[in-house]
Amino acid sequence: MNLQYILDSKGETTGVFIPIKEWLSFKKKFKGIESEITEIPDWHKQEIDRRLEGIADGKTDLLDFEATIDELDKGL
């Protein structure tokens, strides 16, 4: 695949250019790849609210991302 990365003035990757021939091939292979979800389902919002409430009340423990990934890597 011949991707071209788009960088900002700081050299950070901000996008990817996919040649049209490869994009059309993707569209054939992965039906619906170009559809975009614009609305979060209500049940997702309710779950997020429930979790945030648990955090605010001190009933939910938060885990450090890096430490959690390290623990998962140990088990592999």
Side-chain angles (χ1 to χ4, degrees), residues 22-49:
E22 293 178 33
W23 174 247
L24 294 173
S25 174
F26 264 44
K27 283 176 51 175
K28 273 187 184 176
K29 188 174 182 179
F30 302 104
K31 301 285 184 216
I33 193 171
E34 62 188 344
S35 65
E36 184 177 323
I37 298 173
T38 57
E39 182 64 30
I40 298 171
D42 284 337
W43 72 271
H44 282 203
K45 294 175 186 176
Q46 292 167 0
E47 180 64 18
I48 291 169
D49 289 342

Side-chain angles (χ1 to χ4, degrees), residues 1-8 12-24 26:
M1 183 177 300
N2 187 20
L3 300 178
Q4 295 176 357
Y5 296 93
I6 302 166
L7 309 176
D8 65 12
E12 298 289 324
T13 303
T14 59
V16 178
F17 174 80
I18 302 172
I20 193 67
K21 185 176 180 180
E22 293 178 33
W23 174 247
L24 294 173
F26 264 44

Side-chain angles (χ1 to χ4, degrees), residues 28-74:
K28 273 187 184 176
K29 188 174 182 179
F30 302 104
K31 301 285 184 216
I33 193 171
E34 62 188 344
S35 65
E36 184 177 323
I37 298 173
T38 57
E39 182 64 30
I40 298 171
D42 284 337
W43 72 271
H44 282 203
K45 294 175 186 176
Q46 292 167 0
E47 180 64 18
I48 291 169
D49 289 342
R50 186 185 69 76
R51 291 180 186 195
L52 289 172
E53 191 174 297
I55 292 166
D57 293 344
K59 296 178 183 176
T60 301
D61 292 329
L62 297 177
L63 302 173
D64 177 82
F65 177 79
E66 294 297 329
T68 303
I69 293 300
D70 289 344
E71 285 298 314
L72 289 171
D73 283 344
K74 288 179 188 176

